[in-house]
């Protein structure tokens, strides 16, 4: 197995269409702005590549890969996935390894300096939008004719409008997103299902009902200080749960706060000053005031939060489908074999049974390409490999499950089962090897955070999680609004304003929820946002979206 690793990271941190000879319609062009001639970029390319084609380079190619090295499954040179890339696809990698802890910063440094590898996965459009004007990132929208599987899924899954929202002021987009056939919401609240059942309670259908149920649980279990605690307060309070709940309040929040604006049907408004955001914050502030939500949950670390839940000091905790399994293990390790962990469907809110546009979206983190990739003589083969791995049914299955007969088997009805000695996420508890740690599969670097077909998404999920997805996907999804295509000058101005505004929002949100600042001071808080440039920011956004002149 041949794999090389670049040393640029440390240095930079310190500082089914047939192949045409010319890319169709909108290639990024040569130095004079003309179309790129692809005739000398065909090394390793398949002439008959298209939807359903099993890619194998016709000559060995080595691709530069910026690798996000996750501590839970650190890169191993002898991984099965790397061996099969070389043996089955004729592809090896020159790996530019970046630790997960430094990923955001070093990725930007490498791109800005022009030292980034050809392939930059684990990347959202927003991660590179301020880096594209320098020409270091390839406008991948110029090469869609060479990505038949990508375009096939965009068409079949009705994603063209969403894709167009990624376009910048120059009309191009610079990241190929991971694609989901259906939305894949994950975050909600985990409850002590056994306590709920003992109290004669069913899963809450609304957030108000959830609050009433917490009152009941508090009465039934006077030994606990607070029935509900929280976690994931990194850049703001309880970011995962606020994002999950936001749609039902007609707003966006937490990890979904994003660019700080929400579409109201006719224009963008500033999220942190909106009526829906106020309703959301007021709800959780009321839980704290009533002694139902643990104030420490707004600032505590994740381990403390999990410990409170798994030792019976809380009855509810923010969760996702994988963390619910972790919680169950925690109860077992604490000697509580009777505890039942239930990952509930996100309750509806005053705005209805809605998911916010971010949660209900069908895009995942994607892949960007360095501009230098277009200079390679095997550029077409590179595009074909990207298209096959990240967007073909075969490539998606390979990246997630591995190789049939080695890491999994397939039943006559199509059901996939991990090999006897392989586990992932508790699917095969007797397995002594992990699909990601020991083989390299189920790795966001090669599967774009697992954006995929509904079948593949559900193939590694427990039945209860599949039910959760089905019920969540019965919700309506809030309207996304038009794309916000800022030019360089607008982006520069807006970036500074939004950073300052978001800092104000997150600080005030924590204060309101904790009761350190009464909700009656909301108007004063909005005035602070206005003084910090909120009207200018919103005007810039709406101009860039084509809503106002």
């Amino acid at each position: 197995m041949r794999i090389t690793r670049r040393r640029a990271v440390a240095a930079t941190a310190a500082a089914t269409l047939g192949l045409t000879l010319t890319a169709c319609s909108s290639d990024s062009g040569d130095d004079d702005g003309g179309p790129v001639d692809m005739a000398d970029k065909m090394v390793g390319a398949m002439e008959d590549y298209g939807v359903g084609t099993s890619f194998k380079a016709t000559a060995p190619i080595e691709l530069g890969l910026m690798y996000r090295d996750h501590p839970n499954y650190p890169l191993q040179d002898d991984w099965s996935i790397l061996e099969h890339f070389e043996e089955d696809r004729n592809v090896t990698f020159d790996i530019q390894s970046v630790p997960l802890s430094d990923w955001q910063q070093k990725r930007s440094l490498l791109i800005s300096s022009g030292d980034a590898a050809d392939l930059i996965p684990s990347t959202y459009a927003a991660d590179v939008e301020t880096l594209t004007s320098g020409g270091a990132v390839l406008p991948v929208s110029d090469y869609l004719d060479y990505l038949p599987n990508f375009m096939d899924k965009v068409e079949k899954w009705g994603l063209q409008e969403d894709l167009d929202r990624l376009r910048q002021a120059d009309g191009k987009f610079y990241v190929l997103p991971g694609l989901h056939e259906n939305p894949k919401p994950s975050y909600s609240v985990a409850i002590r299902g056994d306590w709920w059942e003992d109290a004669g309670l069913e899963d809450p259908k609304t957030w108000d009902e959830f609050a009433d149920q917490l009152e009941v649980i508090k009465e039934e279990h006077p030994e606990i200080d607070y029935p509900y605690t929280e976690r994931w307060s990194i850049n703001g309070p309880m970011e995962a749960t606020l994002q999950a709940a936001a749609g039902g309040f007609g707003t966006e929040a937490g990890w979904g706060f994003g660019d700080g604006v929400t579409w109201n049907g006719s224009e963008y408004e500033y999220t942190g000053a909106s009526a829906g955001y106020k309703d959301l914050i007021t709800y959780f502030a009321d839980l704290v005031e009533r002694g139902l939500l643990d104030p420490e949950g707004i600032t505590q670390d994740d381990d403390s939060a999990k410990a409170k839940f798994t030792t019976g000091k809380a009855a509810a905790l923010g969760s996702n489908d994988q963390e619910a399994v972790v919680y169950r293990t925690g109860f077992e390790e604490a000697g509580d074999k009777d505890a039942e962990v239930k990952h509930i469907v996100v309750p509806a809110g005053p705005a209805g049974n809605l998911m916010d546009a971010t949660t209900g979206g069908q895009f995942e983190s994607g892949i960007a390409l360095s501009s230098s990739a277009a200079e390679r003589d095997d550029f077409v083969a590179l595009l074909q490999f990207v298209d096959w791995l990240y967007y073909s049914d075969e490539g998606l299955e390979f990246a997630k499950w591995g190789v049939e007969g080695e890491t999994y088997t397939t039943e006559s009805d199509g059901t996939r089962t991990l090999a006897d000695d392989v586990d992932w996420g508790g699917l095969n508890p007797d397995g002594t090897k992990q699909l990601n740690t020991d083989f390299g599969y189920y790795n966001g670097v090669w599967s774009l955070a697992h954006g995929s077909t509904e079948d593949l998404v559900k193939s590694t999920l427990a039945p209860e999680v599949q039910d959760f997805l089905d019920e969540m996907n019965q919700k309506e999804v809030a309207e996304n609004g038009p794309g916000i295509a800022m030019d360089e000058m607008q982006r520069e101005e807006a970036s500074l304003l939004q950073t300052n505004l978001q800092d104000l929002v997150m600080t005030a949100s924590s204060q309101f929820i904790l009761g350190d600042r009464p909700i009656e001071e909301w108007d004063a808080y909005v005035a602070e946002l206005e003084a910090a440039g909120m009207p200018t920011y919103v005007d810039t956004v709406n101009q860039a979206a084509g809503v106002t002149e």
Side-chain angles (χ1 to χ4, degrees):
M1 173 64 226
R2 180 166 58 88
I3 177 173
T4 58
R5 302 194 192 214
R6 294 188 179 184
R7 304 180 63 180
V9 174
T12 306
T16 200
L17 292 175
L19 299 177
T20 58
L21 294 181
T22 302
C24 298
S25 69
S26 59
D27 280 333
S28 61
D30 58 20
D31 292 340
D32 299 323
V36 171
D37 184 0
M38 304 292 272
D40 60 349
K41 303 181 186 302
M42 303 292 291
V43 172
M46 299 177 65
E47 294 187 3
D48 58 349
Y49 180 75
V51 175
T53 302
S54 184
F55 173 80
K56 183 173 184 178
T58 58
I61 60 174
E62 182 181 64
L63 306 178
L65 173 69
M66 191 186 297
Y67 183 85
R68 186 197 62 178
D69 204 348
H70 200 295
N72 291 347
Y73 42 96
L75 178 63
Q76 304 293 326
D77 292 355
D78 61 350
W79 269 345
S80 168
I81 193 169
L82 293 170
E83 293 175 350
H84 283 284
F85 277 138
E86 182 171 18
E87 294 172 5
D88 304 338
R89 309 298 157 193
N90 227 357
V91 174
T92 56
F93 297 97
D94 175 9
I95 289 188
Q96 191 176 51
S97 183
V98 180
L100 176 64
S101 59
D102 296 328
W103 177 249
Q104 297 282 351
Q105 180 182 12
K106 289 189 175 179
R107 176 182 55 197
S108 295
L109 287 170
L110 287 163
I111 293 173
S112 298
S113 66
D115 293 326
D118 302 310
L119 309 181
I120 312 170
S122 305
T123 297
Y124 286 95
D127 295 328
V128 299
E129 65 181 4
T130 61
L131 305 173
T132 58
S133 59
V137 184
L138 191 74
V140 290
S141 56
D142 287 350
Y143 300 95
L144 299 181
D145 287 337
Y146 295 90
L147 303 167
N149 285 289
F150 174 79
M151 291 308 299
D152 179 61
K153 284 181 168 49
V154 166
E155 181 180 356
K156 287 195 304 186
W157 297 347
L159 301 176
Q160 185 62 56
E161 186 175 337
D162 292 327
L163 189 63
D164 287 339
R165 287 194 187 94
L166 299 181
R167 295 184 185 274
Q168 298 191 8
D170 60 4
K172 303 175 186 292
F173 58 84
Y174 293 78
V175 171
L176 292 170
L179 306 178
H180 275 300
E181 183 174 4
N182 294 310
K184 186 182 176 295
S186 177
Y187 287 87
S188 183
V189 174
I191 63 173
R192 282 290 301 269
D194 51 325
W195 288 7
W196 253 252
E197 184 176 355
D198 290 344
L201 302 174
E202 297 181 350
D203 292 359
K205 296 295 188 293
T206 67
W207 284 105
D208 284 343
E209 185 178 354
F210 178 61
D212 293 340
Q213 292 180 352
L214 291 175
E215 291 275 16
V216 174
I217 295 298
K218 186 177 182 180
E219 293 176 4
E220 294 285 328
H221 294 272
E223 73 277 9
I224 62 176
D225 294 327
Y226 301 95
Y228 174 30
T229 194
E230 262 299 344
R231 58 181 297 196
W232 287 310
S233 298
I234 301 171
N235 299 308
M238 38 194 293
E239 293 173 282
T241 300
L242 287 187
Q243 177 176 349
F249 289 81
T251 189
E252 297 171 325
W255 287 334
F257 193 81
D259 50 20
V261 292
T262 301
W263 181 250
N264 64 15
S266 58
E267 64 179 1
Y268 285 104
E269 60 183 359
Y270 194 68
T271 304
S274 66
Y277 194 83
K278 180 183 180 182
D279 289 345
L280 175 70
I281 297 302
T282 300
Y283 172 83
F284 286 98
D286 182 62
L287 292 186
V288 171
E289 184 177 359
R290 292 162 62 181
L292 303 177
L293 173 58
D294 177 13
E296 292 182 356
I298 311 306
T299 57
Q300 70 188 349
D301 61 79
D302 286 354
D303 288 341
S304 297
K306 289 187 283 189
K308 287 179 180 179
F309 186 54
T310 58
T311 58
K313 296 179 181 178
L317 174 63
S319 181
N320 63 35
D321 49 18
Q322 294 182 34
E323 284 298 295
V325 177
V326 174
Y327 299 162
R328 291 190 182 100
T329 301
F331 277 111
E332 293 173 1
E333 292 175 348
D336 190 345
K337 297 183 179 180
D338 296 325
E340 178 190 350
V341 177
K342 197 165 190 181
H343 185 65
I344 64 171
V345 174
V346 177
N353 192 24
L354 295 168
M355 282 193 287
D356 71 283
T358 302
T359 304
Q362 291 169 252
F363 285 174
E364 277 282 5
S365 66
I367 184 168
L369 306 182
S370 292
S371 294
S372 58
E375 301 170 7
R376 298 174 57 110
D377 60 8
D378 57 3
F379 178 48
V380 172
L382 177 152
L383 292 172
Q384 291 177 345
F385 173 75
V386 166
D387 181 66
W388 173 82
L389 176 62
Y390 295 116
Y391 303 106
S392 76
D393 291 347
E394 181 184 44
L396 290 167
E397 182 176 52
F398 166 76
K400 187 166 189 174
W401 277 91
V403 177
E404 188 170 8
E406 178 184 348
T407 56
Y408 76 101
T409 57
T410 304
E411 307 299 327
S412 57
D413 63 355
T415 301
R416 305 169 189 83
T417 304
L418 289 170
D420 291 343
D421 62 342
V422 180
D423 184 30
W424 187 87
L427 286 176
N428 180 24
D430 294 330
T432 57
K433 300 176 182 178
Q434 293 296 315
L435 191 59
N436 53 1
T437 306
D438 296 297
F439 297 89
Y441 302 107
Y442 218 113
N443 180 335
V445 171
W446 286 298
S447 57
L448 298 186
H450 322 300
S452 195
T453 63
E454 180 181 14
D455 169 62
L456 275 175
V457 166
K458 289 185 173 181
S459 67
T460 53
L461 300 179
E464 64 175 316
V465 181
Q466 295 184 36
D467 292 341
F468 171 82
L469 269 183
D470 289 341
E471 290 192 53
M472 287 293 293
N473 277 311
Q474 291 178 18
K475 294 176 177 284
E476 293 184 39
V477 178
E479 188 178 353
N480 217 329
I484 303 169
M486 293 187 185
D487 58 33
E488 186 176 359
M489 185 176 298
Q490 288 174 318
R491 189 181 299 116
E492 184 176 344
E493 178 184 25
S495 178
L496 181 59
L497 286 173
Q498 170 54 1
T499 298
N500 294 334
L501 289 168
Q502 184 165 329
D503 287 344
L504 281 172
V505 172
M506 296 307 157
T507 298
S509 297
S510 294
Q511 292 171 336
F512 284 133
I513 291 173
L514 288 170
D516 294 339
R517 185 173 188 178
I519 205 71
E520 288 75 20
E521 291 188 11
W522 184 266
D523 289 345
Y525 151 71
V526 172
E528 293 167 9
L529 294 175
E530 291 173 343
M534 180 179 70
T536 300
Y537 178 72
V538 174
D539 286 346
T540 301
V541 168
N542 280 313
Q543 289 172 16
V547 177
T548 58
E549 295 183 359

